[in-house]
Amino acid sequence: MPYLRLLILLPALVGYPLRAGAQTEQENGETVEKTGPNVIQRIVESSEGNVEILIDDELMEKILTPPTAHKKASTGNRPAIRPGLNKISGYRIQVFSDGRNQHSLESRARARGNAITAKFPKYRGQVYTFSSAPNWYTRVGNFQTASEASEALVELRRSFPSFADEMRVVKCQIIVLK
């Protein structure tokens, strides 16, 4: 494993108050406390003032690279995704939106979502049916980019021509699990 050699000069630190453990001795029945040279003095004396620290090249690169560069390199223009549940700005496909016939709106919205998951199991757990009075909506997917959502929209429109005209890509908060 390659390492970067880092030399540190310690003579400037000799006065730093790190002390070795106190030693007690008995002289003529009296306890006398002695302290040895401080830790840094012992290191300076044994190493002639030079200490060599070996640091892995990958770790040194992470230390020297600014934090913003880490995020850009790993995620491009997308926000950083951390382990666990993430709510980020993204896209979904709206497959149902209606405010007429109030007594059957919820059941029709849920039926539309069920039809999609029956034909596309990959969207199971990604169908969102909700109400914002007086309308009901059903949205599908958690797409991080507009191009991903557009590709899925084409696929869904081909599979469901009877309501293809109602489908559209909408920008909203999505859920990403890592």
Side-chain angles (χ1 to χ4, degrees):
M1 183 178 282
Y3 289 96
L4 173 71
R5 291 175 183 248
L6 180 65
L7 295 177
I8 298 177
L9 299 175
L10 291 176
L13 300 174
V14 171
Y16 194 79
L18 291 177
R19 298 271 176 220
Q23 302 168 352
T24 57
E25 291 183 8
Q26 296 238 345
E27 291 182 12
N28 300 333
E30 291 183 22
T31 302
V32 178
E33 194 172 299
K34 288 185 168 182
T35 57
N38 75 28
V39 174
I40 294 179
Q41 284 176 335
R42 283 191 279 153
I43 292 172
V44 169
E45 290 168 5
S46 65
S47 66
E48 298 175 2
N50 296 317
V51 175
E52 189 173 326
I53 300 173
L54 301 177
I55 299 176
D56 183 11
D57 286 342
E58 291 177 30
L59 178 60
M60 195 64 182
E61 186 176 324
K62 286 182 180 179
I63 291 170
L64 296 176
T65 306
T68 55
H70 289 298
K71 289 180 183 175
K72 287 180 183 174
S74 63
T75 62
N77 292 333
R78 295 180 185 175
I81 298 177
R82 298 188 171 119
L85 188 72
N86 295 273
K87 290 185 178 183
I88 62 173
S89 181
Y91 302 88
R92 290 192 175 135
I93 299 167
Q94 187 164 292
V95 295
F96 181 84
S97 171
D98 199 350
R100 296 170 288 145
N101 296 331
Q102 290 293 315
H103 67 280
S104 65
L105 280 179
E106 182 179 5
S107 61
R108 288 189 337 200
R110 293 194 188 284
R112 185 82 48 100
N114 292 338
I116 289 172
T117 54
K119 190 156 191 165
F120 295 99
K122 66 183 177 183
Y123 294 123
R124 187 159 293 144
Q126 296 184 41
V127 174
Y128 304 91
T129 301
F130 61 97
S131 171
S132 179
N135 296 325
W136 275 86
Y137 301 91
T138 299
R139 294 180 180 169
V140 176
N142 289 308
F143 304 102
Q144 293 183 25
T145 64
S147 61
E148 291 173 354
S150 295
E151 289 173 17
L153 177 62
V154 169
E155 181 181 46
L156 288 172
R157 280 184 172 163
R158 270 192 226 128
S159 298
F160 299 97
S162 62
F163 52 90
D165 291 342
E166 296 176 49
M167 293 184 195
R168 64 187 183 102
V169 174
V170 293
K171 188 170 179 77
C172 61
Q173 287 287 348
I174 63 169
I175 298 168
V176 178
L177 188 63
K178 183 176 179 187

